[in-house]
Amino acid sequence: MLTFDHVYFYYKKGQPIIDDISFTIRTGEFVSIVGANGSGKSTVAKLIDGLLLPRSGTVKLHQLDTAKPADLDEIHQQIGFVFQNPEDQFITTTVMDEVLFGLQNIRVPREEMRGRVDAALRAVQMEDFLEAMPHQLSGGQKQRVAIASILAMQPQVIIFDEATSMLDPQGRKQVLSIMHDLHRQGMTIIHITHHMEEALTAERILLIHGGCLQFDGDPLTLFETVAITDYQLQLPFTVRLHKILQLEKPLAVDWKEGIRSQWSIN
Ligand SMILES: Nc1ncnc2c1ncn2[C@@H]1O[C@H](COP(=O)(O)OP(=O)(O)O)[C@@H](O)[C@H]1O
Ligand SMILES: [Mg+2]
């Protein structure tokens, strides 16, 4: 369980970026955090991971508190991060070394390493690229290697911070599909995005605007009750079409099926 309790944060005094936000994400949930550019999504992600500390309020993963230095190692191990630009995350020269690197950092016993690397690469269907050089891969493949590096460390939570936004449609689809695979296996997934089509696949959406949590609930309720265009976000195509056609049938009947097949999510 991950808890934000009355979190307040600013970079510059007097200019709050996060202004009293509270929420709880249960273990195994798939949550999307949405909001316009500059609304504070990445700041929330960094607060979750303890890279930033709240000016007031608390951020906890179970009983671990990001404000307690003694808890930070464990928090970093339990929370993995996948960033927007896959280029930024590579340090080594082969896919295998890339995944091994994180394991060496957290001192996984040597005899356990190879098994973890293989399993992680299989989970993202990159097992045939062990010796490949990361910079020669496509954007989607790079992102999958970045995910494998995180998976090998066996975290409870993965935060994807706009991790699909630089990918081509096929890469986006694959990465989103992997997020859902991991969710089905019990991981907590936090998908930060301003692609509402993708957010629609989450179980729950948190909408951040003006430093506050403007909405916390399921995607369908968001689109039915909030004018998301007021927050510089676009209605997903499916929802737009439904509105244009003024379909009699409530959106709820077929939207989930439609969205899941659109993204090839099992
Ligand atoms: N290190 C920083 N120092 C000062 N201001 C920052 C810093 N990082 C982000 N900001 C500002 O905080 C606000 C929220 O940024 P961010 O969390 O990156 O938003 P988002 O991820 O939603 O685009 C923006 O106005 C941004 O300019
Ligand atoms: Mg951001």
Side-chain angles (χ1 to χ4, degrees), residues 185-237:
Q185 290 159 24
M187 272 188 143
T188 307
I189 304 291
I190 301 177
H191 178 27
I192 298 176
T193 182
H194 56 253
H195 285 292
M196 298 310 289
E197 307 278 344
E198 294 183 22
L200 198 45
T201 70
E203 292 176 306
R204 174 178 169 200
I205 294 184
L206 305 180
L207 166 61
I208 297 176
H209 189 84
C212 301
L213 197 54
Q214 302 288 347
F215 176 87
D216 176 357
D218 69 277
L220 189 63
T221 310
L222 172 70
F223 298 119
E224 283 183 349
T225 61
V226 179
I228 64 164
T229 47
D230 292 351
Y231 301 103
Q232 291 134 48
L233 295 167
Q234 284 189 344
L235 275 176
F237 177 73

Side-chain angles (χ1 to χ4, degrees), residues 11 17 36-43:
Y11 292 100
I17 303 293
N37 269 336
S39 58
K41 303 183 294 299
S42 294
T43 302

Side-chain angles (χ1 to χ4, degrees), residues 138 140 144 167-177 263:
S138 73
R144 280 148 65 193
L167 306 182
D168 61 18
Q170 192 198 1
R172 278 176 59 187
K173 217 166 160 169
Q174 284 169 337
V175 168
L176 193 75
S177 170
W263 288 105

Side-chain angles (χ1 to χ4, degrees), residues 34-49:
V34 302
N37 269 336
S39 58
K41 303 183 294 299
S42 294
T43 302
V44 167
K46 289 173 190 155
L47 285 162
I48 292 175
D49 193 38

Side-chain angles (χ1 to χ4, degrees), residues 12-217:
K12 228 194 212 155
K13 212 173 167 111
Q15 296 175 16
I17 303 293
I18 304 299
D19 193 357
D20 194 12
I21 287 187
S22 298
F23 59 79
T24 295
I25 294 176
R26 290 185 307 279
T27 301
E29 261 193 304
F30 190 129
V31 177
S32 255
I33 300 181
V34 302
N37 269 336
S39 58
K41 303 183 294 299
S42 294
T43 302
V44 167
K46 289 173 190 155
L47 285 162
I48 292 175
D49 193 38
L51 292 171
L52 296 173
L53 297 178
R55 305 289 178 179
S56 67
T58 52
V59 176
K60 283 186 177 173
L61 175 67
H62 309 298
Q63 292 312 309
L64 303 168
D65 187 334
T66 60
K68 290 190 186 145
D71 288 353
L72 273 181
D73 265 1
E74 179 67 15
I75 290 172
H76 292 321
Q77 267 195 49
Q78 292 304 335
I79 302 180
F81 243 113
V82 184
F83 298 98
Q84 178 169 30
N85 187 350
E87 306 281 349
D88 292 347
Q89 354 199 6
F90 293 122
I91 305 156
T92 66
T93 48
T94 68
V95 165
M96 176 152 79
D97 283 348
E98 198 52 44
V99 182
L100 276 173
F101 181 79
L103 295 183
Q104 285 157 353
N105 265 349
I106 60 168
R107 295 186 203 90
V108 170
R110 190 151 288 281
E111 59 279 10
E112 215 185 285
M113 284 188 178
R114 188 55 200 264
R116 285 212 199 186
V117 170
D118 288 342
L121 286 171
R122 266 200 310 277
V124 297
Q125 291 169 25
M126 287 297 285
E127 65 272 32
D128 296 334
F129 293 84
L130 267 183
E131 301 299 330
M133 291 189 257
H135 67 266
Q136 290 179 332
L137 302 173
S138 73
Q141 289 173 327
K142 282 179 189 151
Q143 230 23 343
R144 280 148 65 193
V145 173
I147 296 168
S149 309
I150 302 294
L151 285 179
M153 295 192 263
Q154 304 179 341
Q156 293 175 8
V157 182
I158 303 188
I159 304 175
F160 295 84
D161 190 355
E162 310 257 10
T164 58
S165 62
M166 293 180 71
L167 306 182
D168 61 18
Q170 192 198 1
R172 278 176 59 187
K173 217 166 160 169
Q174 284 169 337
V175 168
L176 193 75
S177 170
I178 289 169
M179 290 184 206
H180 282 277
D181 288 344
L182 298 175
H183 172 235
R184 268 198 308 279
Q185 290 159 24
M187 272 188 143
T188 307
I189 304 291
I190 301 177
H191 178 27
I192 298 176
T193 182
H194 56 253
H195 285 292
M196 298 310 289
E197 307 278 344
E198 294 183 22
L200 198 45
T201 70
E203 292 176 306
R204 174 178 169 200
I205 294 184
L206 305 180
L207 166 61
I208 297 176
H209 189 84
C212 301
L213 197 54
Q214 302 288 347
F215 176 87
D216 176 357

